[in-house]
Amino acid sequence: MSVQTKPKVVAKDVNVYYGDKHALKNVSVNIPERAVTAFIGPSGCGKSTFLRCFNRMNDTVDGARVVGSIQIDDQDIYDPDLDPVQLRARVGMVFQKPNPFPKSIFENVAYGPRIHGLAHAKPDMEEIVVSSLRKAGLFEEVKDRLHESGTGLSGGQQQRLCIARAIAVSPEVILMDEPCSALDPIATARIEELIAELRENFTIVIVTHSMQQAARVSQRTAFFHLGILVEEGTTDDIFTNPQEKRTQDYITGRFG
Amino acid sequence: MSDITADGLVTGSPTRIADVVAKSLVKRRAKEKRFRMYGIAAVAIGIGFVLLMFGTILNKGLPAFWQSTFRLDVTFDAAALNLPTRPVREEGQSMAAFQQTLYEWQNQVTMANWNGLIQTSLQKYLPDAKPASRLRALVSSGERFRLRDMVLADPNLVGQTVTVDLLADANVDVWLKGNIDRDLADNQYLLSPDQRAWSDQLYEQGVIRMAFATSLFTNVDSRSSPASAGLLGAMIGSLFMMLIVILVAVPIGVLAAIYLEEFAPKNRLTDLIEVNINNLAAVPSIVFGLLGAAVFINWMKLPLSAPIVGGLVLTLMTLPTIIIATRAALKAVPPSIRQAALGLGASRSQSVFHHVLPLARPGILTATIIGVAQALGETAPLLLIGMSAFVANVATTPFEQSTALPVQIYLWQANEARNFFEARTSAAIILLLAMMMMLNAFALVLRRRFERRW
């Protein structure tokens, strides 16, 4: 796998504290553009915490504090002048549990473009919704019931709806926090295919606790343990030739 | 046989362990059954008390909705009334002069011998009853004004005979309904022996019958003629207070709850505020009455006994309830919805107003209506701001003197005409309970309607 010369996201010496707890220690990592980067590691290792730094979702947690710098296209996202709302329009997020709004499928996808003012006329909005659903591989399944409830879909469909909702605002980066952990193997496979397609247009960062999934979908992998970035490199290297013993132990299933 | 080691551990083959489990199962089942019985007993006792309460109230109060009423053919005898004809405005007469003659005419109508009309029509049924004034006293004293008002409204009635329903005196009602023992000594009755006998005769003749007591809903409280005492003033007063509570407490309470729950930083100050709101909810309502008397009446100089003051006091009392319940409703919205909105780039207020609030709405509505219902039944604070005064008019604005349903109940239960007002008090309680049930049913309907989750 080739790695772009210029990284999309550069994180440098990131530390996260939850109150007195030092959850993430001096993490530095480069995220390449139009590729999938996977964060792996045992539960509580800080991988999700780190992911939430990229769209400043940690801001919404009481007592959370982020130190260090994260730049997207050379712009510091922790610049006090930067509005996190603006950032989150550029950095979309898909959560662990599918969380569609209790509204219609159409409204779910249209919500983001609507609040950001991306489409004013009705046909424009319809176009955004349809193309987002297409990109998320959901359109064929739901085209006859766009105005029915989004929560009435199956788990896998709901998660694809959440992906459609995220890409409807045309973000540059999509963060996925264990997007398949609540899904069955078939739905998981569909999401993984979708991730491979989305990679053409988006920079994707995925947190997963499944090493096979990381191996299947990602080009780069970062292994976290106890709040520390242990090792980071191309996925092939990490899985075939890990440099650290802890990485080796984890991917061979000795702990985690 | 199973072996039990010194530590109390059961060892042995699987069948032995199964035996031990089976034995303990019997015990567990018995325990569960006992617990279920306790539960059923507790529920049964609760239902028993509710039935007892409703039973006695309905039993006492329902008869008061039907009241001894005379149906009389009243002849508006022109000679007996001796009324001039209603003046008509003459050509060239000034408006003021016409008003003057009209007032004089109205005065004469008021002064006419209306009691005489009632007396004459009663004598048709009991010609031998003497003295006739005692017979006339069987009709409630305020009813003569009804005849007067009929003529004032339509002067052409003079000379005609009209069938009119007139309320019987409260003592007649008590006597006929058997609310007083029929074997007491004469000096213990407010009605003379002949009056009691006439009442029975008229009842048998069908002149007195039990008619639906519309006066209960259309009249205000009355001391001079208790038979016509009604709840209209109290209901209007309560209505005004509820309106004020809804208009003031609901927006303030809901907005405060939204701010505290969704926007306020979590620090010492907000913790302190939260603790104090919880404490306020537990403050006895009479304290709020004192506060209202001190602040709204003494300091802000708002009128005594007015629904505006009552409404504001009840607002203070209801606010903590509404805030606490609204916060609970907001807390119940799954955090994943907030995250989804924030993750898409919605601002905090967009996430609250587009997603959290719609989901919390059924809970907020229920909380609000239950708070208002609680305020509707509150009595103690109203006593302290002068709403226990006897008020015999219907307030047209919240700034006029008025009474309220729970206070009216309090006043009636202490009325000296006990025999009559005991039933009337229960009737008022039924009305108050009915209003509360209506509010709660309304809350239920709203809840169902908004709870249509996708």
Side-chain angles (χ1 to χ4, degrees), chain A residues 52 57 60 62 85 88 95 99-103 111 115-116 147 149 151 165, chain B residues 266 336-337 339-348 350-351 354-355 359 454:
Chain A
R52 284 158 177 267
M57 278 300 265
T60 64
D62 281 310
V85 167
R88 289 182 200 133
F95 295 85
N99 57 354
F101 298 127
K103 296 178 191 285
Y111 183 70
I115 56 172
H116 294 303
H147 295 284
S149 163
T151 51
R165 183 175 68 185
Chain B
K266 302 274 176 287
S336 65
I337 296 291
Q339 290 193 336
L342 291 177
L344 271 178
S347 66
R348 214 161 218 202
Q350 280 174 326
S351 110
H354 295 170
H355 301 289
L359 285 176
W454 282 83

Side-chain angles (χ1 to χ4, degrees), chain B residues 196-320:
Chain B
R196 303 200 298 267
W198 295 335
S199 300
D200 285 336
Q201 282 172 29
L202 288 169
Y203 187 67
E204 268 161 44
Q205 289 178 19
V207 179
I208 303 180
R209 61 203 176 89
M210 295 295 162
F212 188 72
T214 47
S215 61
L216 203 54
F217 303 95
T218 56
N219 283 3
V220 293
D221 196 10
S222 170
R223 278 180 180 283
S224 54
S225 68
S228 64
L231 290 167
L232 183 65
M235 286 195 289
I236 298 291
S238 280
L239 198 77
F240 273 131
M241 288 196 287
M242 271 167 56
L243 270 180
I244 290 163
V245 171
I246 289 172
L247 290 180
V248 183
V250 173
I252 294 178
V254 171
L255 287 175
I258 292 174
Y259 177 75
L260 285 174
E261 193 59 41
E262 301 287 341
F263 296 99
K266 302 274 176 287
N267 56 29
R268 279 238 179 106
L269 182 68
T270 46
D271 281 350
L272 193 75
I273 290 173
E274 184 167 352
V275 168
N276 277 305
I277 288 172
N278 290 340
N279 283 341
L280 273 182
V283 168
S285 55
I286 197 152
V287 177
F288 284 105
L290 276 174
L291 178 79
V295 174
F296 297 127
I297 292 175
N298 275 349
W299 185 61
M300 289 171 72
K301 307 284 179 219
L302 287 170
L304 264 173
S305 310
I308 178 78
V309 180
L312 289 174
V313 168
L314 294 178
T315 294
L316 291 180
M317 210 197 71
T318 320
L319 263 177

Side-chain angles (χ1 to χ4, degrees), chain B residues 351-373:
Chain B
S351 110
V352 170
F353 288 102
H354 295 170
H355 301 289
V356 178
L357 219 47
L359 285 176
R361 195 157 46 193
I364 294 175
L365 273 172
T366 314
T368 305
I369 292 178
I370 286 173
V372 172

Side-chain angles (χ1 to χ4, degrees), chain A residues 9-20:
Chain A
V9 184
V10 179
K12 228 173 140 88
D13 296 327
V14 175
N15 285 275
V16 179
Y17 304 85
Y18 290 125
D20 295 333

Side-chain angles (χ1 to χ4, degrees), chain B residues 113-152:
Chain B
N113 184 11
W114 300 106
N115 274 335
L117 287 192
I118 297 174
Q119 200 166 304
T120 317
S121 29
L122 275 173
Q123 277 175 317
K124 275 182 270 178
Y125 301 101
L126 291 175
D128 304 327
K130 293 269 164 15
S133 66
R134 252 197 342 229
L135 177 62
R136 191 245 307 141
L138 296 181
V139 175
S140 177
S141 62
E143 292 300 273
R144 62 180 188 272
F145 301 120
R146 186 118 52 118
L147 300 182
R148 174 199 67 189
D149 291 343
M150 285 168 73
V151 171
L152 279 178

